[in-house]
Amino acid sequence: KALPYFNKLIVGEYYSRTEPSSEVLNKTILKEILNEILFAPISIAALEGKLILSPSNWSLLQNAELLKKFENSNDAFAFYISKYYKFNEIRILRKELNQILDKRLEQFSQKLNKLKFRIDGGSKEATYRKYADLLQIHRFNISKGESLIEIEDFDGEKISIKLNPEKSVQENINYYYEKARDEKISFEKSKELFANTLDEYKKMLQWKGKLKEAKDLPELKKLKSELLRGKLKGKMGNQKIKFRHFLIDSKYHLFVGRESKENDELTFRFAKQNDYWFHARGYAGSHAVLKVENPKEPIPKSVIKTAASVAAFYSKAKTASLAPVSFTFRKFVHKKKGMPPGQVFLQREQTILVKPEIPKNCEQIFED
């Protein structure tokens, strides 16, 4: 409070040598610290992913990894600057990977909670089957058009069963039998999905451990590449991916062919029916395929635009300020007999005008 212009490192060092509760400024200790800044040897060290520069006897170096010690301040600063950008890149990459892992852990955690609630609630198969059996027994006492019926169950207790007034008695009976069958399958799938999701959650925790142990930039980059393509590998087994591989918004996988024959392989062998397919309209270029993992989940327009920009970038329209890109579902991309490699015809195509580029939210994954 007395000397607000001193930064937190100096303040921290001061309090490491005196009582933090003391309100009296110890000028002797402060002068020692300032004198060390001017004349003591200088150490460059790494602490929690950050590069620090301080007098060699300061307390903050106790838990740091010493990189080098200098007698001359000019040499120390030159070394510090040479290392700063590398350490900053490591810090940014580590932060990015932590965010990806934390996001996935949160997603898995929410999924596990929902599945556990579902499993703890038990299967309703027996209940639905009992409803169907009771309706079957009392079918002649039920009239079409009723929406709720109260009947005696097998224990003599009165229970209420909802009916669809637009359906016949037999259709309502069949409905509850089908519900019982579906419930049995659904409950078993929920248990299986819970076990698989728990495994994935544990894997993400292992990744957190790997990230904590990773120290240098090449190791972190390799970790990122493995992490980002790991999600897709589970669906594709050990299949080697030879196409250009990009990740959009750390979630959506985009693949781009390199030449005509590879374009055909990407489109007609690799892509699934509900994947999105892209190509620069009116220009020679690569086919691009955006994987759709869940057909019921709509792909954001921003992701479609990003994929189209990448498709335009890998075409003869690369140098244009704007380029038209055709896109449609893979199932609407066809090839007639006799067509040369890479040539196709489309149905239900849409066109979007984009800038040919690799947008910032799209990162290339380099396969081993």
Side-chain angles (χ1 to χ4, degrees):
K1 291 178 181 178
L3 305 167
Y5 39 80
F6 284 137
N7 68 30
K8 62 181 181 180
L9 293 180
I10 297 175
V11 173
E13 185 61 27
Y14 173 82
Y15 281 126
S16 73
R17 303 184 189 190
T18 185
E19 291 295 328
S21 58
S22 174
E23 295 184 0
V24 179
L25 184 66
N26 190 322
K27 294 183 179 179
T28 302
I29 291 177
L30 186 60
K31 285 178 181 178
E32 285 178 2
I33 290 172
L34 298 177
N35 195 56
E36 288 165 3
I37 292 174
L38 293 172
F39 303 111
I42 301 169
S43 289
I44 312 293
L47 181 63
E48 296 178 355
K50 294 181 180 179
L51 196 63
I52 56 174
L53 177 152
S54 80
S56 295
N57 64 328
W58 276 25
S59 60
L60 66 92
L61 294 173
Q62 290 177 0
N63 299 318
E65 178 190 355
L66 180 64
L67 300 180
K68 204 164 184 178
K69 187 174 178 181
F70 296 88
E71 297 292 334
N72 180 286
S73 60
N74 287 334
D75 292 341
F77 277 115
F79 182 83
Y80 178 87
I81 294 299
S82 71
K83 296 289 183 182
Y84 174 80
Y85 293 103
K86 181 180 178 181
F87 267 79
N88 197 43
E89 189 177 357
I90 289 173
R91 182 182 62 80
I92 292 171
L93 183 54
R94 190 181 295 277
K95 182 180 178 181
E96 180 187 352
L97 290 174
N98 262 315
Q99 288 174 341
I100 293 172
L101 288 169
D102 288 343
K103 184 178 179 180
R104 291 191 186 178
L105 281 168
E106 177 64 22
Q107 289 171 342
F108 286 133
S109 179
Q110 290 177 359
K111 193 172 182 180
L112 284 170
N113 288 334
K114 289 180 181 178
L115 288 166
K116 189 175 186 303
F117 181 80
R118 164 76 171 98
I119 294 167
D120 289 347
S123 172
K124 295 180 180 178
E125 178 195 357
T127 301
Y128 292 140
R129 192 170 297 281
K130 182 171 76 170
Y131 287 173
D133 291 341
L134 287 170
L135 290 174
Q136 184 74 36
I137 293 169
H138 296 279
R139 62 180 300 154
F140 297 111
N141 299 323
I142 306 169
S143 302
K144 183 178 179 180
E146 293 186 79
S147 58
L148 185 69
I149 185 171
E150 191 176 75
I151 53 180
E152 240 181 45
D153 72 3
F154 302 113
D155 298 324
E157 297 290 332
K158 291 283 187 181
I159 64 169
S160 297
I161 302 175
K162 290 182 180 181
L163 301 173
N164 187 335
E166 296 181 0
K167 291 184 177 181
S168 68
V169 177
Q170 187 59 51
E171 285 175 331
N172 276 292
I173 293 170
N174 293 340
Y175 168 77
Y176 278 110
Y177 278 130
E178 288 172 7
K179 285 272 286 184
R181 286 193 293 270
D182 291 344
E183 175 68 7
K184 180 180 181 180
I185 295 169
S186 174
F187 190 73
E188 291 301 319
K189 282 187 176 180
S190 293
K191 290 195 291 186
E192 183 182 347
L193 189 56
F194 181 87
N196 292 337
T197 305
L198 186 59
D199 286 343
E200 290 299 320
Y201 183 84
K202 290 177 180 178
K203 285 178 185 177
M204 289 301 104
L205 291 178
Q206 290 174 356
W207 279 105
K208 289 283 282 188
K210 289 181 182 179
L211 178 59
K212 190 175 181 180
E213 293 173 3
K215 294 181 179 180
D216 57 26
L217 195 58
E219 195 174 356
L220 284 168
K221 285 184 175 180
K222 183 181 179 182
L223 199 64
K224 180 179 180 180
S225 179
E226 291 174 353
L227 176 63
L228 293 183
R229 70 171 182 264
K231 186 177 179 182
L232 192 71
K233 267 193 171 181
K235 291 183 173 289
M236 298 183 60
N238 296 320
Q239 182 177 343
K240 180 72 174 177
I241 300 171
K242 59 183 178 181
F243 315 109
R244 296 186 185 96
H245 184 184
F246 296 86
L247 197 71
I248 301 173
D249 291 345
S250 299
K251 179 179 180 181
Y252 301 96
H253 292 267
L254 177 71
F255 297 91
V256 182
R258 300 174 188 274
E259 42 82 24
S260 297
K261 289 184 178 180
E262 195 172 283
N263 282 339
D264 279 352
E265 185 177 351
L266 172 65
T267 299
F268 298 109
R269 294 183 184 177
F270 180 81
K272 303 299 182 185
Q273 293 294 299
N274 288 315
D275 292 342
Y276 277 97
W277 182 92
F278 299 82
H279 187 272
R281 185 178 178 86
Y283 293 90
S286 297
H287 295 187
V289 168
L290 180 68
K291 298 297 290 182
V292 177
E293 295 181 16
N294 183 4
K296 294 181 180 179
E297 179 185 330
I299 302 292
K301 291 182 179 179
S302 60
V303 175
I304 296 291
K305 186 176 180 180
T306 297
S309 291
V310 175
F313 182 81
Y314 287 105
S315 75
K316 294 294 184 181
K318 180 177 180 177
T319 57
S321 56
L322 290 172
V325 174
S326 296
F327 69 97
T328 187
F329 288 113
R330 154 63 189 90
K331 59 187 172 186
F332 300 128
V333 182
H334 308 283
K335 191 177 188 71
K336 290 181 180 178
K337 188 176 180 180
M339 275 186 168
Q343 189 174 331
V344 297
F345 73 93
L346 311 178
Q347 291 178 312
R348 302 188 188 183
E349 68 176 299
Q350 299 181 60
T351 304
I352 185 173
L353 202 60
V354 294
K355 180 181 179 182
E357 63 176 350
I358 308 295
K360 291 182 179 180
N361 66 328
C362 181
E363 183 163 6
Q364 185 165 6
I365 297 174
F366 295 95
E367 305 294 336
D368 295 333

